[in-house]
Amino acid sequence: MKERFASEEAWLIWNGETTKATRRVLPQDLHRKARMALERVVLATQPGDLAHRGDFEIDGGYRVRFEWEHGRAVRIRCGEFHDEDE
Protein backbone atom coordinates (compact mmCIF):
# COMPACT_ATOMS: atom_id res chain seq x y z
CA MET A 1 0.00 0.00 0.00
CA LYS A 2 2.78 2.43 0.87
CA GLU A 3 4.05 2.30 -2.72
CA ARG A 4 0.89 4.12 -3.84
CA PHE A 5 1.91 7.24 -1.92
CA ALA A 6 4.26 9.77 -3.50
CA SER A 7 5.12 11.33 -0.16
CA GLU A 8 5.99 9.90 3.21
CA GLU A 9 3.98 12.69 4.84
CA ALA A 10 0.75 11.70 3.07
CA TRP A 11 1.34 8.08 4.10
CA LEU A 12 1.85 9.10 7.73
CA ILE A 13 -1.24 11.32 7.77
CA TRP A 14 -3.32 8.50 6.27
CA ASN A 15 -2.07 6.26 9.08
CA GLY A 16 -3.01 8.83 11.72
CA GLU A 17 0.55 9.73 12.64
CA THR A 18 1.61 13.28 13.42
CA THR A 19 5.23 14.30 13.04
CA LYS A 20 7.14 17.50 12.48
CA ALA A 21 7.22 16.62 8.75
CA THR A 22 3.44 16.07 8.52
CA ARG A 23 2.81 19.38 10.28
CA ARG A 24 5.13 21.10 7.78
CA VAL A 25 3.12 19.94 4.76
CA LEU A 26 -0.31 20.29 6.37
CA PRO A 27 -1.42 22.08 9.55
CA GLN A 28 -2.34 19.55 12.22
CA ASP A 29 -5.91 20.84 12.49
CA LEU A 30 -6.43 19.69 8.86
CA HIS A 31 -5.06 16.16 9.35
CA ARG A 32 -8.44 14.63 10.19
CA LYS A 33 -10.07 16.12 7.09
CA ALA A 34 -7.11 15.04 4.96
CA ARG A 35 -7.25 11.52 6.41
CA MET A 36 -10.91 11.22 5.36
CA ALA A 37 -10.08 12.39 1.82
CA LEU A 38 -7.08 10.05 1.66
CA GLU A 39 -9.28 7.15 2.76
CA ARG A 40 -11.75 7.81 -0.07
CA VAL A 41 -8.91 7.99 -2.58
CA VAL A 42 -7.29 4.77 -1.36
CA LEU A 43 -10.57 2.83 -1.37
CA ALA A 44 -11.67 3.97 -4.84
CA THR A 45 -11.62 1.27 -7.49
CA GLN A 46 -12.56 3.43 -10.48
CA PRO A 47 -12.50 7.16 -11.24
CA GLY A 48 -16.30 7.30 -10.98
CA ASP A 49 -16.03 6.39 -7.28
CA LEU A 50 -14.69 9.88 -6.67
CA ALA A 51 -16.46 13.14 -7.29
CA HIS A 52 -13.02 14.72 -7.69
CA ARG A 53 -10.66 13.22 -10.24
CA GLY A 54 -7.12 13.83 -9.16
CA ASP A 55 -7.65 16.54 -6.59
CA PHE A 56 -9.48 17.06 -3.29
CA GLU A 57 -9.47 20.51 -1.73
CA ILE A 58 -8.97 20.21 2.01
CA ASP A 59 -8.90 23.89 2.91
CA GLY A 60 -7.79 26.85 0.82
CA GLY A 61 -4.67 25.82 -1.08
CA TYR A 62 -4.26 22.57 0.86
CA ARG A 63 -5.17 19.54 -1.23
CA VAL A 64 -4.88 15.81 -1.65
CA ARG A 65 -3.61 15.04 -5.14
CA PHE A 66 -3.27 11.75 -6.96
CA GLU A 67 -3.16 10.16 -10.38
CA TRP A 68 -5.25 7.28 -11.69
CA GLU A 69 -3.48 4.21 -13.02
CA HIS A 70 -4.53 0.57 -13.54
CA GLY A 71 -7.75 0.89 -11.56
CA ARG A 72 -6.40 2.70 -8.52
CA ALA A 73 -5.11 6.01 -7.26
CA VAL A 74 -1.33 6.31 -7.23
CA ARG A 75 1.27 8.97 -6.51
CA ILE A 76 -0.94 10.19 -3.67
CA ARG A 77 0.29 13.30 -1.90
CA CYS A 78 -1.06 16.15 0.17
CA GLY A 79 0.03 19.65 0.93
CA GLU A 80 -0.21 23.19 -0.34
CA PHE A 81 -0.47 23.41 -4.12
CA HIS A 82 -1.22 27.10 -4.88
CA ASP A 83 1.22 27.20 -7.78
CA GLU A 84 -0.46 24.24 -9.52
CA ASP A 85 -4.03 25.59 -9.46
CA GLU A 86 -3.89 27.05 -12.96
Side-chain angles (χ1 to χ4, degrees):
M1 178 67 71
K2 189 174 183 177
E3 69 278 356
R4 293 175 61 186
F5 286 81
S7 76
E8 180 74 15
E9 295 82 7
W11 166 256
L12 291 170
I13 291 169
W14 181 66
N15 282 291
E17 297 182 42
T18 301
T19 66
K20 186 184 284 187
T22 61
R23 289 189 304 270
R24 259 195 309 269
V25 298
L26 193 69
Q28 188 171 353
D29 62 328
L30 297 178
H31 283 201
R32 182 174 175 272
K33 191 172 181 180
R35 199 167 28 259
M36 291 187 308
L38 287 164
E39 186 71 15
R40 288 186 62 202
V41 168
V42 167
L43 292 176
T45 59
Q46 58 187 359
D49 291 345
L50 302 168
H52 307 278
R53 301 218 169 96
D55 184 285
F56 275 96
E57 182 176 339
I58 299 170
D59 188 271
Y62 294 101
R63 301 175 185 281
V64 169
R65 292 234 168 129
F66 57 94
E67 296 173 33
W68 198 259
E69 189 173 275
H70 304 293
R72 64 186 191 161
V74 295
R75 291 180 281 286
I76 304 166
R77 59 206 190 281
C78 60
E80 194 168 23
F81 297 100
H82 291 293
D83 60 327
E84 298 178 25
D85 287 344
E86 300 297 321

